[in-house]
Amino acid sequence: MKPDRELILKLEGLGMLRLSEPERAEAEEKLGEIISYCEQLCALDAEAPSVPEGDVSVCPLRRDMPAVKKEPDKLLKNAAEIINGCFSVPEALGEAKE
Amino acid sequence: MKNVICLLGAKEISAKIKQGELSVRQVLEAYLQRAEDCGNELNCFNLICKDYALSRAEEVQKGIDDGALSGPLAGVPIAVKDNICTEGIPTTCSSRMLSDFVPPYNATVINKINAEGLVVFAKLNMDEFAMGSTNESSFFGEVRNPWNLSRVPGGSSGGAAAAVSAGLSPLALATDTGGSVRQPCSFCSVTGLKPTYGAVSRYGLIAYASSLDTIGAIAKSADDCLALFNIIRGSDPKDSTSKDASFIKSTDIKGKKIAVISELLSEDINPEVKNAVLSAAERFRSLGAETEFISVPELKYSVAAYYVLASAQASSNLARFDGIRCGYTPENVETLSEQYLKSRSAGFGSEVKRRILLGNFVLSEGYYDSYYKNALKAQELIKQALKKALGNYSFILTPVSPDTAPEIGKMTKDPMKMYLSDVCTVPANLAGLPAVAFPCGFDKDNMPIGVQLIGNAFCEEEIMSAAEAFQQKTKYHKTQPPFTARYKK
């Protein structure tokens, strides 16, 4: 797989970097070679044993889609308040996953 | 006399100091003089902390005279890779991003060597943020190999291996995430130990890939290397992944079974390297060990898995560097985002940027399962395969690198080729196992060749004893590079 200009720009954003045009062109080429080599890992989709629990998180570590705040009012209501010079402890929203 | 001091082993120096034949200051001055005479030619030092070291030498001498410091390495000068924090002494990771960073605390390993009376006198050049296998990505310029100044010393601990090889430091503390201690040791004909993950505290090490980073030791001989490891090992409440463990098995090489991995002696390996490694296996047989070829097909995934996992962790670890507290701070910026962008874009070099981009790619939605999750599966397969092999054999023997040190500039044009040259070293990191690299020969151009022994977790003493047994019967580790002869006065 060769990353296109759009993907390089997206990765720059995620990495808080701004590449120059020559750097972008080099990234497309060199990163493409590295990603193509790493594609051999896709063979493990079916054949490999599962990784012991706890080693893999259930969702990508780096979310590149903005989180959608479903209940902004409820969240704002839960913001810490100053009472007698101290912050009040906010209520926990949602349930922790087992 | 000064140059004679620089040819002594570390334990030998300490013994002579304790016997009163040499003083701590005399030894330190010999190394400071040598660093001044020829350090620039190799570019292996980022910093020589002369005043600090001379003041420490006085303290240490007093401790030795009082009997408070009696350890095997008391009074010995040591140089430290520039990604290990030293209180009050700049620690730059050879990056523009940290070029003015002065840590307010010591790494645990520094506290440990200070307590044993070693004298830190220099910070060593390295690949930027330990990312590289040739030591050409340093912001402070490439390091040169003392065996041939037109060749690289290996990386990322190239400054450490070059300094020890050229007699510019008797010992070095360095780090190994994918072979960064072992590969430069192989290129420069010195001995380097990558400990078991967790055997040495990482507190105060500027992280590259936290689940793979280890702090190791470099010296001319296995004996000196083990002495330094015994000082830095042990659990630390400041690093929850560290632990006390010692599974010393028999240190006698006789009767030991050694597995030679056939995949790592394939046609991709330089024939001269292959012959030297097979000769090393033969040498172990002559010492009473048994050797057998085994196949570990899972290793075909090791380089891909390593670069996916290490880059993913690097992209996260390096997200903290933004030029606010230290490093490059751009002028004429209007927003905070612009400050971050400009600082990071100018503060990091091209290899670091490439790995940040790769790390973000493998962690992003749509690619995470195919790359990151499968890399974790590959890591597990490699762990299981090596564990099984080490259940049947005491050690695994492999080359350290498929080839000897390349010319400067050759690898930077082809990063994929550079990554593939880590094929022999990354398996030990992925499995968290200890491994030692030591010299076993030279190619037709007189460039050093190294061999690697991998052992069971926390069996450092066992692999180091095997390396020492090898060194008692060979002279590769005692051979001086041509560079040293030029400076004999």
Side-chain angles (χ1 to χ4, degrees):
Chain A
M1 175 193 164
K2 192 180 176 192
D4 56 18
R5 181 57 56 103
E6 196 183 340
L7 180 57
I8 295 292
L9 289 171
K10 183 175 141 183
L11 296 177
E12 278 181 43
L14 290 169
M16 287 193 294
L17 294 169
R18 186 182 290 149
L19 303 185
S20 63
E21 276 309 313
E23 280 179 321
R24 274 188 197 125
E26 197 195 335
E28 279 181 42
E29 186 198 335
K30 304 292 183 195
L31 209 57
E33 283 175 29
I34 297 161
I35 291 169
S36 298
Y37 177 78
C38 293
E39 271 171 12
Q40 63 173 297
L41 292 171
C42 298
L44 292 169
D45 276 339
E47 71 176 66
S50 60
V51 179
E53 275 184 32
D55 281 13
V56 186
S57 57
V58 292
C59 63
L61 295 177
R62 184 82 80 252
R63 283 209 163 271
D64 48 344
M65 300 291 285
V68 181
K69 291 175 184 170
K70 288 179 181 170
E71 297 171 286
D73 293 341
K74 199 174 173 185
L75 287 170
L76 285 173
K77 226 167 123 181
N78 194 41
E81 274 184 279
I82 298 174
I83 301 169
N84 297 329
C86 300
F87 283 106
S88 67
V89 179
E91 177 196 357
L93 291 179
E95 288 176 16
K97 284 184 181 172
E98 287 295 318
Chain B
M1 180 63 183
K2 281 182 175 173
N3 275 309
V4 174
I5 291 173
C6 296
L7 297 177
L8 297 173
K11 282 171 80 172
E12 211 177 342
I13 290 172
S14 185
K16 284 184 185 292
I17 291 171
K18 281 175 241 158
Q19 286 158 9
E21 287 180 41
L22 293 170
S23 71
V24 180
R25 188 182 177 103
Q26 204 178 355
V27 172
L28 176 66
E29 283 179 340
Y31 279 101
L32 290 172
Q33 184 64 53
R34 193 158 163 74
E36 201 174 296
D37 289 344
C38 47
N40 286 346
E41 201 166 353
L42 294 178
N43 194 28
C44 55
F45 296 119
N46 279 351
L47 176 83
I48 308 276
C49 33
K50 188 175 178 180
D51 292 342
Y52 166 82
L54 286 169
S55 134
R56 268 284 297 158
E58 300 301 320
E59 280 174 40
V60 169
Q61 185 67 62
K62 193 169 176 298
I64 290 171
D65 294 344
D66 293 349
L69 293 171
S70 56
L73 298 177
V76 178
I78 185 169
V80 177
K81 189 172 174 181
D82 212 10
N83 58 349
I84 298 173
C85 287
T86 40
E87 185 180 351
I89 302 169
T91 300
T92 68
C93 279
S94 286
S95 177
R96 186 183 194 186
M97 184 56 90
L98 290 178
S99 53
D100 60 356
F101 174 55
V102 181
Y105 67 100
N106 272 334
T108 295
V109 289
I110 299 296
N111 284 334
K112 286 192 172 191
I113 60 171
N114 283 344
E116 282 289 315
L118 283 97
V119 180
V120 174
F121 76 102
K123 298 301 289 285
L124 294 157
N125 203 344
M126 55 183 277
D127 274 303
E128 185 180 10
F129 282 100
M131 296 178 193
S133 307
T134 60
N135 218 131
E136 292 170 286
S137 71
S138 167
F139 177 63
F140 304 112
E142 78 269 3
V143 178
R144 291 168 185 272
N145 191 317
W147 288 85
N148 181 336
L149 296 178
S150 69
R151 307 273 189 123
V152 303
S156 64
S157 310
V164 173
S165 175
L168 297 176
S169 179
L171 293 169
L173 271 183
T175 63
D176 191 314
T177 305
S180 290
V181 161
R182 291 160 287 156
Q183 186 250 29
C185 284
S186 171
F187 283 5
C188 295
S189 201
V190 290
T191 307
L193 170 66
K194 171 236 172 278
T196 310
Y197 183 79
V200 176
S201 167
R202 288 178 295 114
Y203 178 74
L205 162 65
I206 297 175
Y208 159 23
S210 308
S211 78
L212 305 167
D213 291 340
T214 52
I215 299 179
I218 295 180
K220 287 252 184 192
S221 70
D223 190 29
D224 284 346
C225 221
L226 181 61
L228 179 55
F229 168 71
N230 281 332
I231 289 172
I232 61 173
R233 73 190 301 175
S235 69
D236 175 16
K238 292 172 180 164
D239 174 5
S240 61
T241 64
S242 65
K243 62 176 175 181
D244 281 315
S246 186
F247 305 132
I248 306 167
K249 294 184 180 172
S250 156
T251 52
D252 190 352
I253 190 72
K254 271 185 194 165
K256 288 274 164 68
K257 287 176 78 181
I258 301 177
V260 182
I261 297 181
S262 49
E263 283 84 357
L264 297 179
L265 286 173
S266 66
E267 65 276 11
D268 297 332
I269 305 289
N270 174 338
E272 290 180 276
V273 172
K274 185 176 173 177
N275 288 338
V277 170
L278 290 174
S279 298
E282 183 58 43
R283 175 73 64 180
F284 278 115
R285 268 197 297 280
S286 73
L287 290 168
E290 293 174 41
T291 59
E292 282 176 22
F293 280 97
I294 63 163
S295 174
V296 186
E298 294 82 356
L299 293 185
K300 68 184 174 193
Y301 296 121
S302 59
V303 172
Y306 170 77
Y307 276 96
V308 167
L309 296 176
S311 300
Q313 293 177 42
S315 69
S316 179
N317 276 326
L318 269 58
R320 74 190 67 168
F321 298 112
D322 52 20
I324 299 288
R325 288 189 180 82
C326 54
Y328 175 70
T329 307
E331 290 176 356
N332 304 323
V333 289
E334 290 182 358
T335 64
L336 190 60
S337 314
E338 199 185 343
Q339 150 113 30
Y340 289 164
L341 278 173
K342 282 194 173 176
S343 169
R344 288 171 63 80
S345 302
F348 291 135
S350 57
E351 183 59 35
V352 174
K353 286 184 203 169
R354 187 178 297 128
R355 296 197 196 194
I356 291 174
L357 294 178
L358 178 62
N360 280 300
F361 171 78
V362 300
L363 290 176
S364 59
E365 281 186 318
Y367 303 106
Y368 175 84
D369 281 354
S370 303
Y371 293 89
Y372 188 74
K373 207 168 167 183
N374 279 336
L376 285 172
K377 285 183 186 175
Q379 182 182 26
E380 189 57 30
L381 281 174
I382 291 162
K383 263 187 201 173
Q384 286 172 10
L386 293 184
K387 191 178 172 188
K388 190 178 164 195
L390 287 166
N392 298 325
Y393 299 89
S394 299
F395 313 116
I396 293 168
L397 183 141
T398 77
V400 181
S401 175
D403 210 341
T404 51
E407 295 283 335
I408 290 171
K410 196 176 166 190
M411 287 289 200
T412 46
K413 293 172 197 153
D414 190 352
M416 192 61 238
K417 194 174 176 189
M418 181 174 77
Y419 295 178
L420 288 172
S421 71
D422 294 339
V423 64
C424 304
T425 50
V426 293
N429 297 83
L430 290 168
L433 297 171
V436 56
F438 51 96
C440 71
F442 296 91
D443 71 5
K444 62 180 187 314
D445 298 326
N446 200 34
M447 292 308 292
I449 298 171
V451 64
Q452 171 177 237
L453 278 181
I454 303 172
N456 274 301
F458 296 103
C459 288
E460 279 83 358
E461 295 208 19
E462 202 180 16
I463 56 170
M464 295 309 281
S465 299
E468 198 188 338
F470 182 90
Q471 291 183 341
Q472 279 172 358
K473 297 287 178 190
T474 58
K475 290 186 175 169
Y476 302 116
H477 66 294
K478 288 185 177 168
T479 311
Q480 302 293 332
F483 180 85
T484 309
R486 282 169 52 195
Y487 282 93
K488 269 187 187 168
K489 288 175 186 169

